């Protein structure tokens, strides 16, 4: 056993290099639904290599405590993975980010309290950065979890006092961090950590629901940078590499999502959109007329169309309708209808939410198209079926300069001949904005649970003898 330990310790850099390469290949695999499973498996192997190698490098580890914690975490993680509903996936992801941030803070505090070790200037900078990014990630992710899970304690903060308080907290956090750097003062470090936790909460709390997908993506990036910062503190190259990969990929994804909304990251984080339920600009509050229809009407129209585009939104996730949608898709395909799915980059409540749902239902990847790929096809589309989406198909983004989402690229479903929208009611979407699409002559509203309505469409098509 000692020979094995010596061999692994002597070649730790090589093992870490293999793990790093596997992590890079993991991200490459996760970039496509077709290779996502393989990418996930490579990531598991890479993490196993990193953990085992680190065990043999540690000086006098308390094995029973470490292994016990790992086993307990694995049990909870596997249970949660098997039981979490797809509608709860966004808040689950946010909660996992909070644990990464908390771990970074715990490691930083343990390192600071290690009185036998002297911390030089560089080490103090590393501890400061790792701790405050981890603390912000922790509290911000907890709030994002509460917001996405519609918890009563996750209340959106509004008012002119919010930004001055945010600025004061940020300045105080940096100031105490500076004091710690200069004097190596433990009270200053503790104060910095506490203020960072409060700042994380105050920073995310004013952001509206419409921007939560970007927030989740950014917190994913923050969790990576927190891990990388602590990797420097511990002198662990594997943690630095893995954290940097997560941090950079999360930052790139955040940029892509902001570009999809035609907004800057700073505007999302400090401007806010959808912080209250307001009507789109130009709305005088007068009653509006809309045309309602039935699932049978929708089934008839789609069965007799030559081309159908399905636009999934959070309503599909909420109703757990993805399998029913897959059945509708297959039935229409059998009837010779050209059926495809249109995905907006910020549809749902986390990055890739709709892609995950459709992949779970085994919808063929070739028929799942991104916004830029399918927007030009709507003009030649007979029927568009929108399932629980609101903001990503809202024409106000293109034709109402007073709308909060003006300039945001949308799925241009209004160009199709007929649009059908499944919604529970005429209530506004997650960003709190009304949608003029619902009142157009070409639009038919279908009210009810997404899964139930789609199943009725399937029965209607089957019952009509198609």
């Amino acid at each position: 056993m000692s020979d094995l330990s010596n061999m692994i310790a002597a070649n730790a850099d090589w093992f870490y290099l293999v793990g790093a390469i596997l992590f890079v290949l993991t991200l490459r695999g996760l970039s496509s639904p077709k290779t996502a499973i393989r990418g996930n498996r490579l990531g598991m192997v890479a993490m196993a290599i990193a953990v085992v190698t680190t065990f043999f490098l540690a000086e006098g580890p308390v094995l029973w405590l470490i292994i016990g914690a790992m086993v307990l975490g694995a049990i909870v993680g596997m249970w949660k993975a098997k039981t979490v509903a797809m509608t709860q996936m966004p808040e689950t992801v946010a909660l996992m980010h909070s644990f990464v941030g908390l771990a970074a803070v715990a490691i930083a505090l343990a390192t600071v309290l290690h009185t036998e070790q002297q911390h030089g200037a560089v080490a103090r900078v590393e501890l400061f950065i790792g701790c405050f990014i981890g603390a912000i990630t922790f509290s911000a992710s907890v709030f994002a979890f509460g917001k996405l899970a519609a918890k009563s304690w996750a209340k959106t903060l509004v008012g002119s006092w919010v930004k001055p308080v945010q600025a004061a907290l940020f300045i105080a956090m940096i100031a105490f961090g500076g004091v710690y750097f200069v004097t190596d003062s433990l009270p200053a470090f503790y104060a910095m950590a506490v203020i960072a936790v409060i700042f994380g909460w105050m920073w995310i709390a004013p952001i509206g629901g419409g921007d939560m997908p970007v927030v989740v993506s950014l917190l994913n990036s923050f969790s990576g940078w927190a891990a990388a910062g602590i990797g420097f503190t511990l002198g662990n190259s594997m943690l630095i590499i893995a954290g940097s990969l997560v941090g950079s990929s999360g930052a790139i994804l955040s940029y892509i999502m902001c570009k999809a909304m035609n907004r800057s990251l700073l505007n999302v984080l400090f401007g806010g959109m959808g912080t209250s339920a307001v009507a789109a600009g130009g709305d005088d509050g007068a009653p509006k007329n809309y045309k309602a229809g039935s699932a049978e009407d929708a089934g008839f129209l789609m069965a007799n169309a030559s081309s159908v585009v399905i636009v999934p939104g959070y309503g599909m996730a909420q109703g757990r309708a993805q399998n029913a949608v897959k059945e509708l898709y297959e039935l229409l395909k059998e009837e010779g209808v050209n059926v495809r799915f249109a995905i907006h980059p910020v549809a749902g409540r986390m990055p890739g939410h709709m892609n995950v749902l459709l992949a779970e239902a085994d919808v063929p990847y070739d028929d799942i198209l991104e916004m830029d790929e399918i927007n030009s096809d709507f003009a030649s589309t007979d029927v568009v079926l929108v399932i629980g989406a609101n903001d990503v198909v809202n024409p106000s983004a293109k034709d109402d300069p007073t709308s909060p989402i003006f300039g945001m690229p949308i799925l241009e479903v209004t160009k199709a001949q007929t649009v059908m929208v499944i919604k529970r009611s005429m209530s506004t979407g997650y960003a709190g904005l009304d949608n003029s699409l619902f009142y157009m002559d070409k639009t038919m509203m279908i009210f009810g649970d997404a899964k139930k309505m789609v199943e009725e469409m399937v029965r209607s098509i089957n019952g009509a003898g198609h």
Side-chain angles (χ1 to χ4, degrees), residues 259 343 345 369-377 409-411:
K259 186 177 180 181
I343 307 296
L369 304 179
E370 300 295 330
M371 177 178 64
D372 294 338
E373 298 176 295
I374 202 168
N375 258 349
S376 60
D377 294 346
I410 59 169
L411 291 166

Side-chain angles (χ1 to χ4, degrees), residues 151-224:
K151 300 295 185 181
S152 58
W153 46 263
K155 298 184 182 297
T156 301
L157 298 179
V158 294
S160 58
W161 60 273
V162 174
K163 284 184 172 57
V165 171
Q166 289 176 331
L169 287 171
F170 183 79
I171 293 171
M173 178 185 72
I174 298 299
F176 278 108
V179 172
Y180 166 71
F181 172 75
V182 174
T183 65
D184 199 16
S185 166
L186 286 180
F189 188 87
Y190 299 150
M192 180 272 296
V194 171
I195 293 172
V197 171
I198 299 172
F199 173 74
W201 186 282
M202 288 290 298
W203 175 40
I204 298 300
I207 299 177
D211 290 329
M212 273 300 137
V214 180
V215 171
V216 171
S217 175
L218 189 67
L219 291 174
N220 176 50
S221 176
F222 270 41
S223 68

Side-chain angles (χ1 to χ4, degrees), residues 85-88 313-325 353-354 357 387-388 422 424 448-455:
M86 195 55 66
T87 52
Q88 298 174 329
Y314 184 70
M316 186 178 79
Q318 194 173 41
R320 303 183 185 182
Q322 59 268 29
N323 291 311
V325 171
H353 198 179
M354 297 301 104
L357 287 172
I387 307 177
I422 300 177
R424 290 180 181 271
D449 174 76
K451 182 179 180 180
K452 182 179 179 181
M453 292 301 101
V454 174
E455 288 175 343

Side-chain angles (χ1 to χ4, degrees), residues 399-423:
D399 55 31
D400 184 0
T402 65
S403 172
I405 62 171
F406 181 70
M408 168 182 163
I410 59 169
L411 291 166
E412 299 174 0
V413 301
T414 55
K415 294 181 178 180
Q417 293 184 24
T418 301
V419 180
M420 302 181 301
V421 181
I422 300 177
K423 280 178 65 71

Side-chain angles (χ1 to χ4, degrees), residues 42-295:
L42 289 175
M44 294 167 65
V45 173
M47 185 56 69
I49 292 174
V51 170
V52 171
T53 303
T54 303
F55 259 120
F56 287 101
L57 285 178
E59 297 179 4
V62 184
L63 291 180
W64 69 268
L65 189 59
I66 297 173
I67 294 175
M70 290 177 63
V71 170
L72 180 61
I75 292 173
V76 173
M78 291 175 65
W79 167 75
K80 192 65 177 176
K82 289 180 177 295
T83 58
V84 65
M86 195 55 66
T87 52
Q88 298 174 329
M89 191 57 70
E91 55 259 41
T92 301
V93 171
L95 191 62
M96 287 191 292
H97 293 160
S98 74
F99 289 139
V100 177
L102 184 60
V105 173
I107 292 173
L109 290 173
T111 304
V112 168
L113 290 172
H114 197 326
T115 55
E116 296 178 2
Q117 182 177 350
Q118 294 295 320
H119 305 298
V122 174
R124 290 198 293 272
V125 171
E126 294 168 355
L127 286 167
F128 167 56
I129 294 175
C131 185
F132 90 75
I133 293 180
I136 291 172
T137 302
F138 167 66
S139 57
S141 298
V142 170
F143 181 86
F145 161 77
K147 183 76 172 179
L148 291 166
K151 300 295 185 181
S152 58
W153 46 263
K155 298 184 182 297
T156 301
L157 298 179
V158 294
S160 58
W161 60 273
V162 174
K163 284 184 172 57
V165 171
Q166 289 176 331
L169 287 171
F170 183 79
I171 293 171
M173 178 185 72
I174 298 299
F176 278 108
V179 172
Y180 166 71
F181 172 75
V182 174
T183 65
D184 199 16
S185 166
L186 286 180
F189 188 87
Y190 299 150
M192 180 272 296
V194 171
I195 293 172
V197 171
I198 299 172
F199 173 74
W201 186 282
M202 288 290 298
W203 175 40
I204 298 300
I207 299 177
D211 290 329
M212 273 300 137
V214 180
V215 171
V216 171
S217 175
L218 189 67
L219 291 174
N220 176 50
S221 176
F222 270 41
S223 68
W225 296 126
I230 294 302
F232 280 105
T233 299
L234 299 178
N236 189 297
S237 57
M238 187 75 262
L239 193 55
I240 295 171
I241 294 171
S244 298
L245 288 173
V246 173
S248 57
S249 60
I252 293 170
L253 180 58
S254 300
Y255 168 78
I256 292 173
M257 296 180 73
C258 286
K259 186 177 180 181
M261 297 192 300
N262 196 32
R263 299 167 66 203
S264 69
L265 186 59
L266 289 177
N267 179 263
V268 170
L269 296 178
F270 298 104
M273 184 261 290
T275 55
S276 61
V278 296
D283 184 7
D284 57 7
K288 299 178 181 179
N289 296 321
Y290 56 86
K291 181 171 59 179
S294 65

